[in-house]
Structures are given as C-alpha cells and as structure tokens.
Amino acid sequence: MKQVDAVAQSRFLRACRREPVDRTPIWLMRQAGRYMPEYRALRQKYSMLELIRTPELAAEVTLQPLEAFDLDAAILFSDILPILSPMGLQLSFAEGEGPQIANPVRTRQDVARLRAVPAVEGLSFVLRAIEILRPILDQRGIPLIGFSGAPFTLAAYAVEGRGTRDHLRVKGMMMADEASWRALMSLLADAVGDYLLAQVHAGAAAVQMFDSWAGVLAPDDYRDLVLPYSRRALEIVRRGAPDTPIIHFSTGTAGLLELFGALGADVIGVDWRIGLSDAWGRIGPSHALQGNLDPAVLLAPWEAVQPRVQRVLQEASGRPGHIFNLGHGILPGTPVENVRRLVEFVHGSRD
Amino acid sequence: MKQVDAVAQSRFLRACRREPVDRTPIWLMRQAGRYMPEYRALRQKYSMLELIRTPELAAEVTLQPLEAFDLDAAILFSDILPILSPMGLQLSFAEGEGPQIANPVRTRQDVARLRAVPAVEGLSFVLRAIEILRPILDQRGIPLIGFSGAPFTLAAYAVEGRGTRDHLRVKGMMMADEASWRALMSLLADAVGDYLLAQVHAGAAAVQMFDSWAGVLAPDDYRDLVLPYSRRALEIVRRGAPDTPIIHFSTGTAGLLELFGALGADVIGVDWRIGLSDAWGRIGPSHALQGNLDPAVLLAPWEAVQPRVQRVLQEASGRPGHIFNLGHGILPGTPVENVRRLVEFVHGSRD
C-alpha cells in the first residue's frame, strides 16, 4: 500500500491533477529509443516488433531510460498502432520506412469488414508487459503511462496505409463518405477506449492518447468529425477508471486548442509551435499542460538548450499542473548528456 | 491611365487595402498548374524550369487560369527559390522530387562565399515575364502578383539542400551558430527585398512573400531569429514602393499570428488549421486576411465543398479585407469543374 501511495503522490500524478509539486515533473516522449546506446544494443539482437511483442523485452526497454535518468514517469515501450491488428488490419513495420498496412480501409465494404473486438484480444503482450513493470515501478514510486493512438490518427494510418504528407485519402473519406467515416471512427473510438482501460486495469497509472495527425485538420472538421470520437474513447476510460489521469497529445494544433477543453482529458500535450502560456490561455485553467520543448533543441550545444528550457519553464511558472516534456518524440541523434542535463535542470528549477 | 485605374480599383487591390468590395475577391495559389489540362499540355513540351525561365512561356502559363476562370488576380508563374541562384547556390528541380541544392550552406565559410548581388542580376527572365504580362492584364483590369520565398524558407532550402520533415540542419545552424545564421539571414533579407521591389518596378501590382516553413518554429525562435529579417525584406519593398500591397504567407503558424502584426505586411495569408475569425482576432484589425480553404476540400464532390467554402466566407463576413484563397497551393488532382464552381460561388455571395 505504501508503494502505491508513493506512486499516487508522485510529482507526475500530482501535476496531472494540478496539485502543487516540489519540482516540475519531466518525462520524454520516446524516452526509450535509438538515442540510447543501451537501446541500440538490444536492437542489434531484436527487431522493433520483437521488442514490442515480447513482454519481458518491452519491460526491459521501458526501464532503460529510468536507469539512466531521474525521470518522473515511465511510458510503456510500444507503438500507437497495435490496436489496428486485432481489428483485422495487416500492420507491419518496414525497417526505416515506418508503419505500413497491407489492406488499407478505402470503402464502405472495407469498414464493414473490420472487427469490433474487445481490444484485449490479440494484445495480451501489452498487458503482460504492464503487469511485469508495475511492481518494479511501484517499488521506485514511478508511475507507468499506457497509451494508444487516437481514433483519427489510427484512421489516418488505416485509410492511407502509411504515413503521408497531405492525408488526402483520409480527408477524402471524411468529406465525401461521411457515413463510412463515422462507422470507422465509432469502431476505433470503442476499440481505443477499451484498449486504454485494459492498460489501466493491468497497472498503468495514467494513459496518453496520441492524436499525432490531428493538426492537419480545419477546426470545423475536427470539431464535427473527429472530436466526438476522441471524447467517446476517453469516456470509456473515465467511466471504467475515474481516478486515472488522461493525457491528450497532438502536434500542430495551435488553432484547435479552444476545442480541446471538450475532450474530457485531464492533461493536454502541446508542441513547441505555440507558447505554453498562450496555449494555456486558450485551453483554459481546468487542464494541466504537458510540453513543449522542440526536440530539435536537444541536438544543439547545452548553451543553446538551456535558455530554451528556461523559457518553457517560465511560460508555465506560477500555476500548478505543468509536466515538462518535448513537443514530440526525442530525436535519434540526441546526445545522452543533453538529456541528463535537461532532467537535472528541470528538477533544479523550483516552481 | 484608365486601365491602370481599373487595376488600382480592382476587387483584389481594394481588399488588400481593406476597402469595401462588391464581392469577395478570389485567386488560388498555384492557380496555374498541373490540375489544368492546358498546363499539362505545355509541360509535355517543356520542363518546369524552361517554363519559368522563358518569359513568353511563363507569361502564357500565368494567363491560363485567367482564361478558364473569373479570377481576381494573376500570379506570375515562377517559383519561390530562383533568388538563390544569383547568390551562388546551384539550384535544380529533379522531376517529382522538388528543388535540390547541390552546394548547401552548412558552415560560416559557406555563408561567407554567398554573393550579395543586386537581385535583378541573373533574374531578368522574371522581370521580362512581368513586363510582357502587365499591358495584357492592365487591359483586363487584373492585378499581377509578384513573389519570392521569405528569408527563413530560403535559408531552410539553402541549408538543408532540399525539403525535409524535421528541418534539423537549419534549426541547428540557427541555434548553435547564431552569428552565421544572422549573416545568412541578412544576406537573404536584402536579396528578397530587392527582388520583390524589382518585380514591382517591372509591373507587379502586389507582392507575396512565402514563408512556407515558418510553422516549424517555436514562437520565441521565430520572433528573435526570423521575424527581424522578414521585416527587413518587406521594409525594402515598402520604402521603394509605398503604395504596393504586401502579402505575407505561411502555413502551420496558428501559434505565431500575434507576432505577424510586426512584419510590416498589409495582408496576412493563413492556412485552414485555424478559423479565419479566430486568426483575425489574433493578428488584429489593421491587416487584411487571405485564405483559408484546405486544398484537400477541392478533391471532394461539390456537395462537400460548398458548405466548407460557405464557412470560410462566414468567418470573414462583416469586415472588409478578405481575399479568398486556399490555405496552400491547389492540388494536382483537383477537378477543374470544382475550381469553376468555387470561383462562381465566392463571387455569388456578397459580403
């Protein structure tokens, strides 16, 4: 019980609840990744998919950055897309090319063929990895973050079949075949909600829903055709786990922030393309904020990094509920030494 | 004189000056382009570079969309990058790959090697095309827009050597070698300013500066390391041609809009990632606005296009100074019929 209390009272979870903290909590998206020699060593032996799908390995990778740095949260080593597999999509990760889907969803018939399955089915490796990690992290008082892609970002991959620049196919379905679009998004919303909730039940102390591509949309389209399904997914988590903080993440969404209040999340992640103080003004005071250093900054010499980190902290200072993070995943070329100094610097500056 | 008056009193130029107009003016970025069969026919015979560098052909292509649609402005058929060539950068357009630079700018020495030349040198084909077009367009009362890339976007290409997703090299120089960065941006600012002014002297009735990549920057970096040079370029135009409207265009900059008031532009172009009314509130009432339909919308059936066009018009209604445009260039797959209906629809709805 004492360990669980330590997690519940951790800086990270307190900040999610907008309670006062002794120091600003920090974790980094993709904190387990190619910039770390320990990770690269494991990748010599295993593919990314093997790491993700083998619970013991996923747990090992998850813990790597916590051994190296004084981070305030762990995030399960996984991907935003695995939920698509049990729905019937043939997902693969081509080396150096990102995720690809062999049977993308293009028509009403394709949508009808998707399976509305309980998300846990076929994803037991994720839940098992969480079960392995939870007691280890409880002992250290470190909360574990579970996650998934958001319905729109999953739909973007499902329809496009891969990452694209213009997202013309997914926008095409959304605009030209609204019935198919809403059927697809409903399926995805329920699957994402169930999947996130299953991660909480397995031991995740918070969940993050990644809507990485939401920034390609006009506000009216986002509000009418996307937001209801993001909210639906998060409502499933809220109903099933009322006390578990929910983080919503997206990039390039400075023009959507006013709408995010309606998502039902506790924490809104924002990228560096807007000042944190400006963002907070738009989202409103009833949400915590996570972000928002440009990951590219960490490639520079520390003399150039430090003032930019300082600015992020200043933008958030004076109010509870700031979780320091990057605005997107840490870049592969990031010097480990910069990460160490970043964590120290953020912890060194009291709010 | 009468023809020149017709141009000066055109809907487009009146809207640039925030004067009342009978109908909302409309033109489209890349309005001469691959979506038009007339353009594709010419491209069977000539490369894009041949079209740009042969004044008679550039003029012919510029006029193609004006023959097909009731557009309110012409924009010179050219590219945002030609100014880089006389500075000493070896620019080429690989078919289907976008612009590439064989000798990118990476070091202080590379910056020092760049030539600070009068922009007209080596770009006489641009000015000659404008001289051909001006009397033809004057006769129709249609203003001609000249343009260039903005210093940051030019620097991004100059440093990266090609379009990239993360812009790590250009951000790297900006953050890690500020002296070289400022030297490069100073050179570019003067070159862009001179080049735009030369286009005005040749006959352009307005100019647009494209900062297509500005949206990758954090507001503080944009304000400190980019905005001063954009302003410097536009000051050259303003001093040399005080009555010529200046349009500033960028994408993904919803988080930067408050800063754009300091650019010294008359019109701010915004993309679809923010509502036009919201954008206007952030930029302030002393600027005209250009935009902001998502180009992807025009790929949909007209039934899906019409309500989205209507919304853009509604967002801008009730105040002078709206120029209808897309939020980025028209897409190659756009049906010509949708463009015809778009122009008719925008002209049909009185403000």
Side-chain angles (χ1 to χ4, degrees), chain B residues 39-73:
Chain B
Y39 175 83
R40 292 196 302 269
L42 263 184
R43 283 285 275 100
Q44 295 283 327
K45 292 195 274 184
Y46 307 101
S47 72
M48 201 178 82
L49 224 50
E50 285 173 311
L51 292 182
I52 288 176
R53 295 200 175 161
T54 313
E56 293 72 19
L57 291 173
E60 182 181 345
V61 176
T62 300
L63 294 171
Q64 284 180 337
L66 300 169
E67 305 290 345
F69 315 109
D70 186 23
L71 293 160
D72 293 292

Side-chain angles (χ1 to χ4, degrees), chain A residues 171 220 282 294 308 311, chain B residues 171 220 282 294 311:
Chain A
K171 287 182 180 180
D220 285 327
R282 292 176 195 184
D294 183 350
R308 289 176 170 86
R311 276 190 209 152
Chain B
K171 287 182 179 180
D220 285 326
R282 293 178 194 183
D294 183 349
R311 275 189 209 153

Side-chain angles (χ1 to χ4, degrees), chain A residues 24 274-280 289 291-293 305-320 322-324 342 345-346 348-351, chain B residues 220 223-224:
Chain A
T24 300
I274 184 167
L276 216 48
S277 169
D278 189 2
W280 226 325
L289 239 65
N292 73 343
L293 188 74
V305 178
Q306 191 267 344
R308 289 176 170 86
V309 176
Q310 181 80 58
R311 276 190 209 152
V312 171
L313 291 166
Q314 273 164 358
E315 291 257 336
S317 76
R319 32 181 160 186
H322 176 222
I323 298 154
F324 193 101
L342 170 68
F345 188 85
V346 170
S349 45
R350 286 155 191 280
D351 187 45
Chain B
D220 285 326
R223 187 196 56 228
D224 297 343

Side-chain angles (χ1 to χ4, degrees), chain B residues 64-91:
Chain B
Q64 284 180 337
L66 300 169
E67 305 290 345
F69 315 109
D70 186 23
L71 293 160
D72 293 292
I75 182 159
L76 181 68
F77 184 77
S78 186
D79 187 79
I80 60 172
L81 302 181
I83 182 70
L84 292 177
S85 298
M87 296 179 71
L89 291 166
Q90 292 154 27
L91 177 66

Side-chain angles (χ1 to χ4, degrees), chain A residues 26-71:
Chain A
I26 173 171
W27 69 278
L28 305 172
M29 284 182 280
R30 289 192 203 268
Q31 62 191 18
R34 269 196 285 158
Y35 77 101
M36 293 190 78
E38 302 90 313
Y39 176 83
R40 291 196 303 269
L42 263 185
R43 282 287 276 102
Q44 294 283 327
K45 293 195 274 181
Y46 306 101
S47 73
M48 200 179 82
L49 224 50
E50 285 173 310
L51 292 182
I52 288 176
R53 295 199 176 163
T54 312
E56 292 71 20
L57 290 173
E60 181 180 345
V61 176
T62 300
L63 294 172
Q64 282 180 339
L66 300 169
E67 306 290 345
F69 315 110
D70 186 23
L71 293 160

Side-chain angles (χ1 to χ4, degrees), chain A residues 319-341:
Chain A
R319 32 181 160 186
H322 176 222
I323 298 154
F324 193 101
N325 207 320
L326 306 179
H328 211 159
I330 193 167
L331 293 161
T334 304
V336 167
E337 179 60 15
N338 269 358
V339 177
R340 194 186 59 72
R341 294 183 79 158

Side-chain angles (χ1 to χ4, degrees), chain A residues 40-112:
Chain A
R40 291 196 303 269
L42 263 185
R43 282 287 276 102
Q44 294 283 327
K45 293 195 274 181
Y46 306 101
S47 73
M48 200 179 82
L49 224 50
E50 285 173 310
L51 292 182
I52 288 176
R53 295 199 176 163
T54 312
E56 292 71 20
L57 290 173
E60 181 180 345
V61 176
T62 300
L63 294 172
Q64 282 180 339
L66 300 169
E67 306 290 345
F69 315 110
D70 186 23
L71 293 160
D72 293 293
I75 183 161
L76 180 68
F77 184 76
S78 185
D79 188 78
I80 60 171
L81 302 181
I83 182 70
L84 293 176
S85 298
M87 296 179 72
L89 291 166
Q90 292 155 29
L91 177 66
S92 64
F93 293 81
E95 205 62 48
E97 290 193 40
Q100 302 201 343
I101 288 162
N103 56 343
V105 177
R106 299 280 162 82
T107 65
R108 184 169 307 217
Q109 290 72 35
D110 293 339
V111 175

